Amino acid sequence: MNLNAIRMFAATAQSGSLTAAAERLSIPLATISRRIRDLERELNVQLLQRSVHGTCLTDAGRRLYQHASRGLEILANGERALQSEQLQLGGVLRLSLPSSLKPWWELLSKFQQRYPGIVLQVRATDERLNLIEDGLDIVMRIGRATHPSVAAQRLLTYHHVLVASPVLLDRLGVPTKVTDLHKFPCGVWSRGTTASWRLRKEIFKPEPTIVSNDYAYLSARAVAGDIVTELPPFLAMKYVKKHQLVILLEDHPFPELEISLHYSSRPHPSPIVQTYLDFARQHIESSARLSGQFTFPPSTTHS
């Protein structure tokens, strides 16, 4: 049974008429009438008797209303309790996330809208931080947890993409195999001076014209037509959709990467930590679909 239809039926029973129920719920009379007719057809019983004096319940309608009203009251109490919990939950949540993971800021904004009493302290860095030593509650990391005292909630997996601008491709051609990349100026992400790209089963060692640990800078130089580079999909796709970048060698994907949230593996995480973990898990799919390049693990894992 449709919950909205049950609400409309209960409002009609309480108000004494379809018109009064429609005014009470601020919905069109035709809508409430149609929903209740659909409910009657679904249950194969007549729930209401209509007359010039108003609307009254049939015997079947009275029985349904007795059960439905109790169920709706329990549901309303649950909603009020949840709203109260959300308003009361407060404190500080100390987070760390990779500096390149810009879409996550939108999720953090939604989290604070839902839980306004929680203060976020966020460190955006590509350094590998320690939960205890750095005083953090949750660390977002690309990769799995390796320490026995750390638990990990897997969020999603993805592949970096190799991109170049149409301007550069018009000048140098479109690479059809990995060795074609030798004729392109390349930009690589690295904290050192060199890097290599594993493209499916082939290893390509570019001779870079740009080496940087800032994906935003690399993406800007790629859009300008200066380089071929690898980017996380959540950075690349906004340019691909605008036809400013083209994905190359799609049949030679980069290795799969995993994003996970790392937190203390003690038996019972704090209410704030658990609330954040639950919220992230419930909302990551819609956020990640902005790129269309992600897949989702089946369950939470612990190390």
Side-chain angles (χ1 to χ4, degrees):
M1 288 183 289
N2 184 279
L3 180 59
N4 285 331
I6 292 295
R7 291 184 190 274
M8 295 176 192
F9 164 71
T12 302
Q14 294 164 358
S15 303
S17 74
L18 291 169
T19 301
E23 293 176 353
R24 174 179 172 180
L25 298 176
S26 299
I27 59 176
L29 175 60
T31 299
I32 195 169
S33 180
R34 184 180 67 255
R35 288 295 186 89
I36 292 178
R37 285 199 305 271
D38 291 343
L39 183 61
E40 289 178 324
R41 280 196 293 268
E42 180 183 355
L43 298 175
N44 197 28
V45 294
Q46 183 179 355
L47 300 173
L48 302 174
Q49 291 177 334
R50 303 165 182 85
S51 69
V52 294
H53 301 294
T55 303
C56 61
L57 297 173
T58 63
D59 289 341
R62 278 191 290 271
R63 289 196 297 273
L64 178 61
Y65 176 69
Q66 289 174 354
H67 294 285
S69 59
R70 289 198 295 270
L72 290 172
E73 182 179 357
I74 293 171
L75 181 60
N77 289 338
E79 290 176 345
R80 285 192 292 270
L82 181 60
Q83 292 170 356
S84 176
E85 177 184 336
Q86 291 171 352
L87 291 174
Q88 293 176 8
L89 192 62
V92 177
L93 182 62
R94 292 167 287 270
L95 308 172
S96 171
L97 66 152
S99 57
S100 60
L101 205 62
K102 302 301 182 184
W104 202 259
W105 292 106
E106 181 181 350
L107 188 140
L108 293 180
S109 177
K110 292 179 179 179
F111 179 76
Q112 279 201 301
Q113 291 171 13
R114 176 76 65 85
Y115 302 99
I118 296 178
V119 176
L120 297 180
Q121 293 182 0
V122 185
R123 293 179 62 177
T125 177
D126 293 315
E127 298 178 6
R128 293 183 71 86
L129 300 179
N130 182 283
L131 280 170
I132 305 302
E133 294 177 4
D134 293 293
L136 297 167
D137 298 307
I138 300 176
V139 172
M140 174 178 282
R141 185 168 292 166
I142 298 175
R144 294 178 172 84
T146 57
H147 196 280
S149 65
V150 174
Q153 174 171 289
R154 298 172 61 202
L155 293 176
L156 51 85
T157 59
Y158 66 100
H159 300 264
H160 280 201
V161 292
L162 194 67
V163 294
S165 75
V167 173
L168 185 62
L169 297 178
D170 287 343
R171 180 161 58 90
L172 298 179
V174 178
T176 59
K177 54 186 183 296
V178 173
T179 53
D180 289 344
L181 295 173
H182 284 293
K183 65 181 180 181
F184 286 86
C186 296
V188 300
W189 189 99
S190 177
R191 293 192 180 94
T193 58
T194 61
S196 62
W197 293 338
R198 180 182 171 190
L199 298 165
R200 202 172 185 179
K201 296 181 180 180
E202 299 184 53
I203 303 296
F204 176 73
K205 294 184 177 181
E207 297 179 2
T209 59
I210 300 171
V211 180
S212 174
N213 66 344
D214 186 347
Y215 280 120
Y217 176 66
L218 292 173
S219 64
R221 293 295 299 271
V223 169
D226 298 331
I227 55 172
V228 169
T229 193
E230 63 160 317
L231 294 176
F234 40 80
L235 285 181
M237 293 310 294
K238 64 179 180 179
Y239 299 112
V240 172
K241 291 177 180 178
K242 295 177 181 178
H243 307 291
Q244 295 175 299
L245 290 176
V246 176
I247 297 178
L248 307 175
L249 300 174
E250 292 189 76
D251 57 344
H252 289 75
F254 281 89
E256 183 179 84
L257 297 173
E258 174 184 295
I259 293 181
S260 55
L261 297 178
H262 295 196
Y263 56 100
S264 173
S265 61
R266 58 178 178 264
H268 302 290
S270 72
I272 292 179
V273 168
Q274 188 61 58
T275 297
Y276 179 79
L277 293 173
D278 294 342
F279 185 90
R281 184 68 187 181
Q282 292 164 7
H283 289 75
I284 185 61
E285 184 169 353
S286 60
S287 177
R289 282 200 180 113
L290 290 173
S291 73
Q293 296 287 319
F294 298 107
T295 57
F296 306 95
S299 61
T300 299
T301 60
H302 298 271
S303 298

